Amino acid sequence: MVTTVKNRRYEDEDSGLGVRHFQVFLLFFALTVAYALRVNLSVAVVAMTDAASSNPDFPEYQWSEKIKSLLLSSFFWGYVITQVPAGQLARKFGGKIMILTGLTICSVLTVLTPLCAKWGDWKLVCALRVVEGLCQGVVFPSTHTILSKWAPPKERATLGTCAYSGNQFGTILMLATSGVIAASPIGWPSIFYISGGIGCVWSVVYFFFGAGSPEESKSISAEEKKLIEMSHASEVSNAPEVPKDQLPTPWLAFLTSPAFLVLIVAHSVHNWGFWTLLTEIPSYMKNILGKDIKSNALLSSLPYICMFAMSFVFSAISQQLNNRNCVSTVTSRKLFNSIGLWIPMVTLIGLAYVDPEQSELAVVLLCFTVGMNGATYLGYNMNHIDLSPNFAGILMGITNCVANIMSIIAPLIVGFIVTDEHDPTQWRIVFFIASGFYLVGNTLYVIFGKANIQPWNDPPIKPRRNSTPQVESQH
């Protein structure tokens, strides 16, 4: 009883901004860099294959549409391979070492991209992108591993949202600036030099100031460290008898846990719909609605801007709900996941029936749909840590691996269905499929999803952790 009272005192104590917030700030920029390095080729390839459209003073490559598609997809070949091993490595060596190594190598390779294009044409660039994907495969599992150490349970969703919103911010920066850079006197190679250079700067900063856990931090105060330790201890019935990094990984328990299986489903259907939207909607709007949003940097980045902004709106709403103890953690996760998947399910269908003369309405619906997806940061995205703080990185690696396979399959299915890009009925089939995935996936998550620590989070010799869902007072 005494321990419980002490834990609550530390959990409820308002410590203001601390080192944990600075670490999340560094993770935000890590994910900003990661996504900038991921999408830079998708915008640079236009200038690389059509120098006259930007700056004719720089090299131009005669790459066919097939080669360009190959280059743009090659990143994901490597990306899915390292997802699961990355979670295990992050547990063994620490999240800081893994994310720092991965992004540093990726940043250096990005700087070398123009040179690789000059020396080895598209084949060497393709190989380089595969290696970049292998390096970035460590980012999400490592981020989850670090968040599981730094974020008190009641701040988990808020801090997680702040970190992962870097995904959208990095994409926005590249879409908004790459066209300007390519047309400037420094030309398209500078897209890679600047994004890679910023990644290298981040690596130096993180090397000196980043920490994988409160124990590794030299600047954390005793009070903040105690607050984090006590908040994590509130999830445990008894003190651990085995160091966490020595716990055996319960692979079979993962794959036979309904709560984790529906988490895989939720992550996968989100990726299916999200990447269907962002990779195929430009084609739909150009061929059906007569609006070329790819040619406009603002229109291209607008959906990402909406998602970036709405993720913070949802975070604030969630925080207020939980400050008033209105909802438990599991209810909060399911509520915001439903907002992030079921509302887009409806608006996707509406998007399919917009008339060509209502192209502005289509842009609004697209932005609203993607913006609502931002609620999933407070849903499935943080659920891995809820289920198992000890194995959060590995769980993220598994779900992100499966989800990104779905991201690769989705555009291929669209290509199979849409044989005539000017036929609206074929596009409606695509939207109905995505909506169906949203419906089924989130329904399963609502029915079977959980937010309490699972028994397999503990080694066999330890008593089980509490199964009572925690109530988040901060989000």
Side-chain angles (χ1 to χ4, degrees), residues 319-338:
Q319 182 175 357
Q320 290 303 312
L321 286 174
N322 288 288
N323 280 345
R324 292 170 171 78
N325 292 331
C326 295
V327 294
S328 64
T329 302
V330 67
T331 303
S332 178
R333 296 287 184 264
K334 293 178 180 181
L335 170 65
F336 286 99
N337 211 67
S338 297

Side-chain angles (χ1 to χ4, degrees), residues 189-245:
S190 296
I191 295 174
F192 300 101
Y193 298 149
I194 292 172
S195 58
I198 292 173
C200 292
V201 171
W202 174 87
S203 297
V204 173
V205 172
Y206 196 68
F207 177 80
F208 288 106
F209 298 104
S213 66
E215 291 75 17
E216 295 177 17
S217 175
K218 298 178 182 179
S219 57
I220 189 171
S221 67
E223 292 78 10
E224 184 181 9
K225 185 176 181 182
K226 191 72 172 178
L227 182 144
I228 295 171
E229 289 175 347
M230 289 294 105
S231 67
H232 289 164
S234 68
E235 295 185 307
V236 188
S237 298
N238 293 294
E241 299 174 11
V242 176
K244 291 182 179 180
D245 60 354

Side-chain angles (χ1 to χ4, degrees), residues 179-307:
V180 176
I181 294 172
S184 72
I186 56 178
W188 64 258
S190 296
I191 295 174
F192 300 101
Y193 298 149
I194 292 172
S195 58
I198 292 173
C200 292
V201 171
W202 174 87
S203 297
V204 173
V205 172
Y206 196 68
F207 177 80
F208 288 106
F209 298 104
S213 66
E215 291 75 17
E216 295 177 17
S217 175
K218 298 178 182 179
S219 57
I220 189 171
S221 67
E223 292 78 10
E224 184 181 9
K225 185 176 181 182
K226 191 72 172 178
L227 182 144
I228 295 171
E229 289 175 347
M230 289 294 105
S231 67
H232 289 164
S234 68
E235 295 185 307
V236 188
S237 298
N238 293 294
E241 299 174 11
V242 176
K244 291 182 179 180
D245 60 354
Q246 295 181 18
L247 300 179
T249 304
W251 297 102
L252 183 61
F254 293 163
L255 301 178
T256 54
S257 168
F260 179 59
L261 292 177
V262 294
L263 184 54
I264 296 175
V265 172
H267 196 161
S268 298
V269 299
H270 169 264
N271 272 36
W272 181 286
F274 187 74
W275 288 104
T276 296
L277 276 171
L278 295 177
T279 59
E280 301 302 333
I281 283 295
S283 177
Y284 168 76
M285 297 188 74
K286 181 178 181 180
N287 294 298
I288 302 298
L289 304 179
K291 196 171 191 69
D292 188 2
I293 66 172
K294 270 193 168 181
S295 63
N296 187 308
L298 177 61
L299 283 178
S300 295
S301 58
L302 201 54
Y304 298 96
I305 294 172
C306 292
M307 187 173 181

Side-chain angles (χ1 to χ4, degrees), residues 82-95:
T82 49
Q83 289 292 322
V84 178
Q88 189 77 1
L89 291 171
R91 281 194 70 241
K92 184 176 179 62
F93 299 108

